[in-house]
């Protein structure tokens, strides 16, 4: 998987590559799909959600330039796979999942796999995780129609956010957002297709 899907497509960060080699992806997919776990595609994880394609996980990891002392916020825990990849590189990963059943599953899975630097919360990630911020980086793995302002607020100065933005069920733009001296810089990276960013009823 790592050689043909990740390195061949230009991922170079040694920490990202090592993490992708280490995390047992087959333990993050439903049992009946275990044989497909290392294929070059997203896979269904129930509740209409998906575990992202390995390359996309690696891409989103590398782009935030993860460092050992980073505190990272992820929105959209899903299977917990992206959180696990990040957790091999950075100090702490805070991850928020809106679907309770997926939250319960991934919390147990990450606990069983001894990821003691990942903290999972069941909530609408639109609001981020204010008490734990600000964050060195924010990784959003569901497609939002716009960048949630609370997430921008919770990004450290000098921090990076990666987020797919666009209409649900269409292709979206993967955006890299950087905060520097209070200013926001946005770069379009590529077209992607993520499951929708949903909102809790308020
Ligand atoms: N990072 C995941 C991919 C999950 S797919 C992985 O590695 O497996 C996107 C996830 O975002 C879904 O589980 C979906 O329920 C969740 N999601 C969608 N909108 C959300 C919101 N507002 N807050 C938190 N999670 C959300």
């Amino acid at each position: 998987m790592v050689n043909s899907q990740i390195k061949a497509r230009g991922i170079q960060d040694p920490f990202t590559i090592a993490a992708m080699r280490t995390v047992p992806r087959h333990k993050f997919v439903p049992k009946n799909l275990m044989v497909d776990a290392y294929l070059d595609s997203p896979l269904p994880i129930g509740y209409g959600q998906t575990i992202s394609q390995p390359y996309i996980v690696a891409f989103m990891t590398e782009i935030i330039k993860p460092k050992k002392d980073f505190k990272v916020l992820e929105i959209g825990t899903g299977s917990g796979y992206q959180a696990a990849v990040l957790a091999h590189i950075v100090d702490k990963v805070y991850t928020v999942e809106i679907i309770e059943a997926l939250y319960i599953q991934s919390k147990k899975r990450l606990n069983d796999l001894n990821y003691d630097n990942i903290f999972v919360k069941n909530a609408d990630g639109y609001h981020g995780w204010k008490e734990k911020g600000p964050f060195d980086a924010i990784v959003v793995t569901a497609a939002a129609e716009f960048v949630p302002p609370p997430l921008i607020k919770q990004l450290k100065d000098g921090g990076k956010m990666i987020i797919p933005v666009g209409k649900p069920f269409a292709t979206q733009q993967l955006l890299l957002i950087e905060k520097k001296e209070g200013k926001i810089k946005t770069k379009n990276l590529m077209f992607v297709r993520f499951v929708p960013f949903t909102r809790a009823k308020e």
Side-chain angles (χ1 to χ4, degrees):
M1 175 184 92
V2 168
N3 287 336
S4 65
Q5 300 172 32
I6 292 172
K7 288 175 82 175
R9 290 196 184 114
I11 302 292
Q12 290 179 349
D13 173 44
F15 299 104
T16 301
I17 291 169
M20 294 298 295
R21 286 200 200 282
T22 310
V23 181
R25 186 167 161 97
H26 60 280
K27 295 203 171 138
F28 291 77
V29 302
K31 276 209 173 71
N32 62 319
L33 293 177
M34 260 192 186
V35 290
D36 296 330
Y38 296 90
L39 295 183
D40 190 14
S41 70
L43 292 172
I45 55 171
Y47 310 93
Q49 308 306 320
T50 55
I51 176 174
S52 305
Q53 180 191 9
Y55 170 67
I56 292 291
V57 173
F59 184 88
M60 291 176 82
T61 304
E62 180 180 65
I63 203 85
I64 63 164
K65 299 208 176 4
K67 306 247 160 21
K68 245 194 168 121
D69 61 347
F70 267 26
K71 186 161 71 167
V72 179
L73 174 68
E74 181 198 22
I75 307 300
T77 315
S79 66
Y81 181 70
Q82 172 81 70
V85 169
L86 287 165
H88 278 278
I89 308 172
V90 306
D91 184 33
K92 287 191 173 72
V93 180
Y94 294 90
T95 178
V96 183
E97 172 56 51
I98 198 166
I99 297 177
E100 190 184 16
L102 284 175
Y103 154 78
I104 292 171
Q105 258 181 35
S106 50
K107 195 177 157 106
K108 179 175 186 305
R109 172 181 291 130
L110 293 166
N111 190 50
D112 291 349
L113 294 170
N114 298 317
Y115 284 100
D116 56 7
N117 60 338
I118 303 179
F119 306 91
V120 194
K121 174 162 110 161
N122 179 212
D124 180 351
Y126 181 91
H127 304 287
W129 195 333
K130 201 172 163 204
E131 311 83 273
K132 306 294 181 188
F135 301 96
D136 298 285
I138 300 181
V139 175
V140 182
T141 65
E145 294 202 37
F146 58 92
V147 182
L151 298 186
I152 303 246
K153 248 191 164 159
Q154 289 169 34
L155 194 60
K156 273 190 196 168
D157 202 64
K160 291 184 175 54
M161 170 165 26
I162 177 99
I163 177 171
V165 173
K167 294 269 174 241
F169 307 110
T171 52
Q172 303 107 21
Q173 282 279 1
L174 193 58
L175 303 184
L176 178 67
I177 293 170
E178 293 182 76
K179 198 187 218 179
K180 264 198 193 124
E181 285 142 31
K183 287 205 188 75
I184 300 299
K185 207 174 77 187
T186 302
K187 203 162 127 190
N188 281 346
L189 298 176
M190 62 166 139
F191 286 106
V192 286
R193 206 177 262 263
F194 276 82
V195 295
F197 192 101
T198 55
R199 295 298 316 277
K201 288 185 193 71
E202 280 168 0

